[in-house]
Amino acid sequence: MTEKRYLKWYNKVGYGSGDIAGNVVYAFLTFFVMIYLSDTIGLNTGIVGTLMAVAKIFDGVSDVIFGSLIDKTKTKMGKARPWMLWPYLGCGVCLFAIFSIPTSWGQTAQYAFFFIFYVMLNAGFYTANNIAYSALTALITKNENERVQIGSLRFVFAFTTSTIIQAVTFGLVEHFGNDAAAWRIVALIYVIIGIISNTVSVLSMKELPEDEIEAKKAVDAPEEKYTLREAVGLLVKNKFYLLILGVYLLTQLYTAFTGVGTYYMTYVLGNKELMGYFASALNIPMIIGLLLVPTIVAKLGGMYKINYSGYALATIARILVIVAAYMGSVPMMLAFTAIASLGMCPLQGDLNAVIASASDYTYLTTGKRIDGTMYSCTSLGVKIGGGLGTAISGWLLAAAGFIEGGVATQPDSVLTMLNVMYLWLPAIFCGLVTFLLTKLNVEKANAKLLEPKN
């Protein structure tokens, strides 16, 4: 029996394009905020790292709160779309502010300015927007193949945007004067692009009626009501949620430490223009692979095996990146980086569908739908994993003796630390993700729950 289709091609493309907006914020922050703060503003990487770590306390509280609010929202636009639309305006303001730290202020005031807007962005506006965007996977279609398709398209746009940002940002900053004012101009350009793409994405979709989403529920069943505390309890009891959260944390740590590439290219390889080549090696294979993921998943009849097999390949390839680096071969580093990205693309493409299946698991075992709260793992994992990774990067650089202010060379201790951060840690994170994926067979669990009772 053929599954009902819910989405037209323009709905799928419109949904996917929403991650242009998300990565205008995420990629710009991940890859450039630390080097902007250290080399342009002159702030200490260790102190910045500490501020980022403290900000995660606020993040951890806000994710589940916004997820629960989305679950309880009822408007003409639906549950999630309003939360995706309006908070992004706040994202734009905060992103611009972070890259507009007044250079005439004292350092204490500069640290405070950065911290306030960083917390507002991550714990507030970005959380609301990102959880709502992710939750739409379960709210605009019930067709699993369509969920995989829009998840793949989402990350095609995400990695394309990330590639472009990594490739052109240094050049744009150089073009506009290579100073603090130049970073403000570049930030403003990205904010405008983000607001436009986010708005177009929201308007391109329509959420399904609530009664259709909950079609499996008995007609005469009473409406389920639950508190935030109960929603958190439902998440904790879902082992697949915890596994997905772990996967998100580790993949974002991976991204954060590959983000050290801005320093690695500048100080270890001695050519920051290589950032664009490594960004292409990371993202172009991912983009190509993501276009094939829906077909591969459909042919294999599931997501489980392709996910952990792909990450096993990625782990081997990242180990070979280390070997190539110590051999001094940049072309081999680029080649193995590309192979690793190809191995990661199945999970990137179907992870939203995996979360939707995990949400179905909660419904099948408890009778309660908590799609918004379930998708808090996307924002929670992104922010804690990415933020903590960036924070730890700052601590490690400071501990190694990093010299702020955009100097030409760094001490040998810093170069050694950059090798550990950019080469070794990503390989370790890949191995840990592979292990978690071997446990993440939610499809089998749901199928067993749906088997007729004898």
Side-chain angles (χ1 to χ4, degrees), residues 116-194:
I116 289 168
F117 283 101
Y118 186 80
V119 170
M120 288 174 60
L121 175 63
N122 284 275
F125 299 116
Y126 184 79
T127 296
N129 170 269
N130 189 255
I131 292 177
Y133 179 47
S134 298
L136 282 168
T137 302
L139 297 174
I140 62 176
T141 178
K142 291 166 57 183
N143 185 306
E144 187 172 284
N145 195 46
E146 285 185 334
R147 288 174 175 177
V148 173
Q149 289 173 355
I150 61 176
S152 294
L153 279 172
R154 169 184 182 175
F155 285 106
V156 167
F157 281 100
F159 287 110
T160 300
T161 304
S162 181
T163 302
I164 293 171
I165 286 176
Q166 290 177 66
V168 306
T169 296
F170 277 138
L172 285 173
V173 172
E174 187 96 15
H175 173 76
F176 289 117
N178 202 27
D179 56 8
W183 282 101
R184 286 198 297 273
I185 295 171
V186 173
L188 181 60
I189 292 170
Y190 289 160
V191 165
I192 293 170
I193 292 170

Side-chain angles (χ1 to χ4, degrees), residues 3 28 36 72 82 101 126 144 151 163-164 176 192 207 215 245 308 340 377 396 410 426 452:
E3 270 193 282
F28 193 33
Y36 158 75
K72 298 177 188 301
I101 296 174
Y126 184 79
E144 187 172 284
T163 302
I164 293 171
F176 289 117
I192 293 170
E207 293 181 32
L245 179 58
Y308 77 72
C377 65
L396 293 177
Q410 294 288 342

Side-chain angles (χ1 to χ4, degrees), residues 3 6 142-144 147 209-221 356-357 359-365 367-369 443 445-447 449-451:
E3 270 193 282
Y6 296 86
K142 291 166 57 183
N143 185 306
E144 187 172 284
R147 288 174 175 177
E210 208 166 329
D211 56 349
E212 187 169 359
I213 295 173
E214 300 186 357
K216 294 175 184 176
K217 192 172 183 177
V219 176
D220 58 349
S357 294
S359 186
D360 290 341
Y361 179 82
T362 292
Y363 180 69
L364 291 170
T365 53
K368 294 182 173 72
R369 287 224 73 97
E443 298 162 284
N446 284 350
L449 289 168
L450 289 169
E451 287 177 357

Side-chain angles (χ1 to χ4, degrees), residues 307-378:
N307 285 344
Y308 77 72
S309 298
Y311 251 86
L313 172 64
T315 302
I316 295 169
R318 287 305 308 189
I319 292 171
L320 292 174
V321 170
I322 299 172
V323 174
Y326 284 105
M327 290 173 59
S329 174
V330 171
M332 286 180 64
M333 288 179 69
L334 289 168
F336 290 126
T337 296
I339 293 171
S341 290
L342 200 59
M344 295 176 191
C345 70
L347 180 67
Q348 292 289 350
D350 65 32
L351 188 51
N352 266 16
V354 173
I355 301 170
S357 294
S359 186
D360 290 341
Y361 179 82
T362 292
Y363 180 69
L364 291 170
T365 53
T366 68
K368 294 182 173 72
R369 287 224 73 97
I370 54 168
D371 296 306
T373 314
M374 180 65 67
Y375 275 90
S376 67
C377 65
T378 61

Side-chain angles (χ1 to χ4, degrees), residues 3-203:
E3 270 193 282
K4 179 180 176 181
R5 296 181 180 178
Y6 296 86
L7 305 175
K8 304 291 187 182
W9 68 267
Y10 51 84
N11 302 130
K12 299 174 185 177
V13 173
Y15 176 84
S17 66
D19 234 339
I20 296 174
N23 272 272
V24 161
V25 175
Y26 180 73
F28 193 33
L29 276 179
T30 298
F31 295 103
F32 295 100
V33 71
M34 187 65 82
I35 202 166
Y36 158 75
L37 294 172
S38 66
D39 286 13
T40 300
I41 305 301
L43 300 183
N44 180 273
T45 58
I47 296 175
V48 171
T50 300
L51 293 176
M52 290 179 171
V54 172
K56 297 305 112 183
I57 297 172
F58 299 95
D59 286 354
V61 174
S62 67
D63 286 280
V64 178
I65 291 175
F66 278 115
S68 181
L69 287 172
I70 290 169
D71 284 331
K72 298 177 188 301
T73 297
K74 292 184 179 181
T75 71
K76 289 183 179 179
M77 288 182 68
K79 289 177 175 290
R81 289 168 71 219
W83 289 96
M84 181 180 170
L85 180 63
W86 303 114
Y88 195 84
L89 300 177
C91 286
V93 171
C94 291
L95 185 68
F96 179 74
I98 288 170
F99 285 89
S100 302
I101 296 174
T103 54
S104 60
W105 289 9
Q107 284 202 335
T108 300
Q110 290 176 330
Y111 285 124
F113 186 92
F114 164 73
F115 181 73
I116 289 168
F117 283 101
Y118 186 80
V119 170
M120 288 174 60
L121 175 63
N122 284 275
F125 299 116
Y126 184 79
T127 296
N129 170 269
N130 189 255
I131 292 177
Y133 179 47
S134 298
L136 282 168
T137 302
L139 297 174
I140 62 176
T141 178
K142 291 166 57 183
N143 185 306
E144 187 172 284
N145 195 46
E146 285 185 334
R147 288 174 175 177
V148 173
Q149 289 173 355
I150 61 176
S152 294
L153 279 172
R154 169 184 182 175
F155 285 106
V156 167
F157 281 100
F159 287 110
T160 300
T161 304
S162 181
T163 302
I164 293 171
I165 286 176
Q166 290 177 66
V168 306
T169 296
F170 277 138
L172 285 173
V173 172
E174 187 96 15
H175 173 76
F176 289 117
N178 202 27
D179 56 8
W183 282 101
R184 286 198 297 273
I185 295 171
V186 173
L188 181 60
I189 292 170
Y190 289 160
V191 165
I192 293 170
I193 292 170
I195 290 173
I196 292 172
S197 61
N198 185 74
T199 303
V200 169
S201 181
V202 170
L203 297 179

